[in-house]
């Protein structure tokens, strides 16, 4: 029964991919930020139409612009809205203010406009404003009560967005920990997240990690490109990209506070495509690699090493450039789309082109249906794949929490001690450990499904009776 169901599911997923149709559920993790610090933004209606032509399923507003909320009515697109930091004192001290806020910004548009989350304030804890920080939780509680009173308590969640600088340590990921000076306030906020089932929203930016450590190997690590990885000695996980490392550092920090069940949402992440001549990192090429490979990584459903098999909800930053933002040029150059609605660069978000042309899209892009899925039970490298590609696949697969000890010295599959043999073992094991969709046997189009059992002597390749 279970086997039938699994086969049905994979076949369905394969067909879905082949037809280029994406079910709402399959990519619900792709969101985008809609900042409005600009004087050249397209109309809300044009934006709603643009979003509907993409795989983007959720939009995060920093405020609650009624024109945008209305334009997104009946599109099925989830909407995250925010209260201004300046509203926090009134929300905290006056339940009626909270009630009016919820009535005006949520009840008035729900359910036609699918509001899913209210962020009370933005990066408040890092602001250093003690008074505001102390009022954050009461404000969230009053907003939650107002939603409950409107019978929307289980439909619209309440949270707040945090900066990555809350972490005192993020390397290695297993040692991720929050700055102890925030422990008390975070304990209260996390207990609220935990009790109400709302996510912990945070802004990891590999871009900023690269800026503070601008070495080529750091760039490759940040852009999901082939690299030797960063080994976490505590967990024995070799991290292959900065996004996973940062998200897992947050996971570890939450776990260390005792909140293993609080979900993480990536409220912002992105890479600027343009900067001033003295800025390191911004370029079309880098922005396309980061955002494109991130989308491919999320679509692979690999998850992170500490949270395998599920893609964290991720809001890209951002839909448009914000030309009125202060600071270096990069601050005004994160937009995935231009104000004339054309793409700044293509990362395969358009509904009509689901295969991004991103280089090199580790780990996977939708596979071509070369083998017959029915008897093809093992995942093997294609012929003629370069050593560099095999090494990248080997590193990637073994970085995803599978057991690669059989191909280490003394293991049953160590001999023959060749890159081709070790990569083949790891790639197949990764495929078998995943939900065995075609996506899990792609490895940047260097792998294929095979019906020939590659096992030999004492070395068993799992798989077979699919
Ligand atoms: C989180 O919520 C669950 C279920 O309501 C509860 O059992 C658990 O004790 C909470 N965890 C913490 C650390 O408060």
């Amino acid at each position: 029964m279970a086997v039938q169901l699994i086969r049905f599911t994979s076949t369905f997923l394969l067909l879905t991919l082949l037809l280029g149709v994406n079910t709402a559920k399959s990519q619900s993790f792709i969101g985008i930020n809609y900042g409005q610090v600009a004087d050249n933004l397209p109309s809300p209606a044009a934006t709603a139409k643009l979003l509907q032509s993409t795989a983007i399923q959720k939009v995060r507003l920093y405020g609650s612009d009624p024109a945008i909320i209305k334009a997104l009515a009946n599109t099925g697109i989830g909407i995250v809205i925010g209260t201004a930091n300046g509203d926090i004192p009134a929300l905290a001290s006056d339940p009626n203010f909270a009630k009016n806020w919820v009535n005006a910004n949520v009840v008035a548009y729900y359910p036609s406009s699918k509001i899913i989350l209210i962020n009370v304030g933005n990066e408040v804890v890092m602001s250093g404003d003690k008074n505001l920080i102390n009022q954050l939780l009461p404000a969230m509680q009053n907003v939650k009560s107002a939603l409950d009173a409107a019978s929307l308590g289980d439909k619209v969640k309440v949270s707040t967005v945090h900066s990555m600088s809350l972490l005192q340590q993020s390397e290695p990921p297993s040692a991720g920990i929050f700055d102890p000076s925030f422990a008390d306030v975070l304990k209260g906020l996390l207990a609220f997240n935990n009790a109400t089932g709302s996510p912990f929203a945070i802004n990891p930016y590999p871009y900023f990690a690269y800026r503070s450590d601008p070495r080529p190997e750091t760039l490759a690590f940040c852009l999901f490109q082939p690299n030797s990885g960063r080994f976490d000695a505590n967990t024995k996980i070799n991290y292959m990209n900065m996004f996973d490392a940062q998200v897992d550092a947050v996971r570890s920090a939450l776990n260390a506070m005792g909140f293993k069940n609080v979900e993480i949402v990536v409220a912002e992440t992105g890479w600027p495509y343009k900067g001033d001549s003295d800025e390191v990192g911004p370029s079309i090429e880098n922005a396309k690699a980061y955002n494109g490979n991130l989308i491919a990584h999320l679509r692979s459903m690999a998850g992170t090493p500490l949270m395998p098999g599920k893609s964290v909800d991720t809001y890209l930053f951002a839909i448009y450039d914000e030309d009125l933002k202060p600071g270096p040029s990069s601050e005004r150059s994160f937009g995935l789309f231009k104000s004339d609605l054309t793409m700044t660069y293509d990362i395969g978000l358009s509904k009509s082109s689901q295969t991004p042309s991103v280089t090199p899209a580790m780990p996977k892009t939708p596979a071509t249906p070369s083998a017959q899925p029915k008897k093809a039970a093992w995942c093997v490298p294609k012929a003629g794949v370069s050593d560099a590609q095999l090494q990248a696949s080997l590193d990637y697969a073994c970085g995803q929490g599978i057991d690669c000890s059989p191909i280490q010295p003394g293991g049953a599959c160590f001999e023959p001690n060749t890159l081709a043999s070790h990569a083949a073992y790891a790639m197949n094991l990764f495929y078998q450990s995943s939900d065995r969709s075609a996506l899990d046997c792609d490895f940047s189009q260097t792998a294929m499904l095979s019906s020939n059992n590659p096992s030999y002597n004492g070395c068993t390749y799992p798989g077979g009776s699919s």
Side-chain angles (χ1 to χ4, degrees), residues 191-386:
F192 176 90
N193 289 138
N194 183 54
T196 63
S198 73
F200 181 80
I202 192 156
N203 300 337
Y205 274 92
Y207 165 63
F208 291 119
Y210 171 61
R211 263 201 347 185
S212 56
D213 173 23
R215 294 174 300 149
E217 57 266 42
T218 306
L219 185 62
F221 189 65
C222 289
L223 297 182
F224 301 83
Q225 288 170 340
N227 68 95
S228 52
R230 293 190 184 178
F231 188 66
D232 186 332
N234 301 326
T235 53
K236 307 277 182 276
I237 294 166
N238 194 29
Y239 279 84
M240 295 311 296
N241 68 77
M242 183 67 86
F243 179 83
D244 281 355
Q246 290 189 338
V247 171
D248 274 1
V250 175
R251 182 73 270 157
S252 300
L254 292 171
N255 293 357
M257 302 262 305
F259 293 98
K260 292 193 157 69
N261 295 326
V262 169
E263 231 181 273
I264 297 169
V265 158
V266 170
E268 275 183 30
T269 192
W271 199 289
Y273 65 86
K274 200 170 70 185
D276 296 322
S277 55
D278 62 346
E279 291 191 79
V280 50
S283 73
I284 291 263
E285 197 187 12
N286 289 348
K288 177 173 169 166
Y290 178 71
N291 287 311
N293 288 337
L294 172 60
I295 291 296
H297 184 51
L298 295 172
R299 282 178 171 156
S300 80
M301 300 303 285
T304 69
L306 296 186
M307 297 178 285
K310 184 179 181 300
S311 292
V312 59
D313 277 9
T314 300
Y315 294 78
L316 299 174
F317 188 88
I319 183 166
Y320 304 122
D321 286 347
E322 292 176 89
D323 64 337
L324 300 181
K325 276 202 164 170
S329 295
S330 56
E331 285 292 313
R332 293 176 289 283
S333 311
F334 278 85
L336 291 172
F337 295 92
K338 300 284 189 192
S339 47
D340 67 1
L341 303 169
T342 58
M343 287 182 263
T344 311
Y345 47 86
D346 188 1
I347 54 166
L349 281 176
S350 155
K351 260 181 189 149
S352 49
S353 77
Q354 286 294 318
T355 312
S357 53
V358 173
T359 51
M362 289 298 287
K364 344 164 195 182
T365 47
T368 42
S370 47
Q372 291 75 41
K374 267 199 180 147
K375 287 174 70 188
W378 291 272
C379 177
V380 299
K382 288 180 185 166
V385 172
S386 73

Side-chain angles (χ1 to χ4, degrees), residues 119-142:
N119 284 317
V120 177
N122 193 31
E123 303 196 351
V124 171
V125 178
M126 274 313 292
S127 71
D129 182 338
K130 286 251 154 59
N131 193 30
L132 202 60
I133 295 170
N134 289 334
Q135 296 179 91
L136 180 54
L137 179 58
M140 290 164 70
Q141 285 164 335
N142 281 343

Side-chain angles (χ1 to χ4, degrees), residues 102-226:
V102 164
N103 282 339
N105 296 289
V106 182
V107 177
Y109 307 111
Y110 197 92
S112 323
S113 296
K114 196 172 138 198
I115 296 162
I116 53 175
L117 178 69
I118 302 173
N119 284 317
V120 177
N122 193 31
E123 303 196 351
V124 171
V125 178
M126 274 313 292
S127 71
D129 182 338
K130 286 251 154 59
N131 193 30
L132 202 60
I133 295 170
N134 289 334
Q135 296 179 91
L136 180 54
L137 179 58
M140 290 164 70
Q141 285 164 335
N142 281 343
V143 171
K144 166 73 177 147
S145 301
L147 286 167
D148 286 344
S151 303
L152 293 176
D154 55 348
K155 305 212 167 62
V156 184
K157 300 290 181 188
V158 179
S159 193
T160 186
V161 177
H162 300 284
S163 147
M164 263 312 261
S165 346
L166 281 192
L167 276 85
Q168 181 182 56
Q169 186 180 344
S170 57
E171 286 176 74
S174 62
I177 194 153
F178 293 115
D179 184 328
S181 63
F182 302 125
D184 285 343
V185 61
L186 280 178
K187 212 172 280 174
L189 296 173
L190 285 166
F192 176 90
N193 289 138
N194 183 54
T196 63
S198 73
F200 181 80
I202 192 156
N203 300 337
Y205 274 92
Y207 165 63
F208 291 119
Y210 171 61
R211 263 201 347 185
S212 56
D213 173 23
R215 294 174 300 149
E217 57 266 42
T218 306
L219 185 62
F221 189 65
C222 289
L223 297 182
F224 301 83
Q225 288 170 340

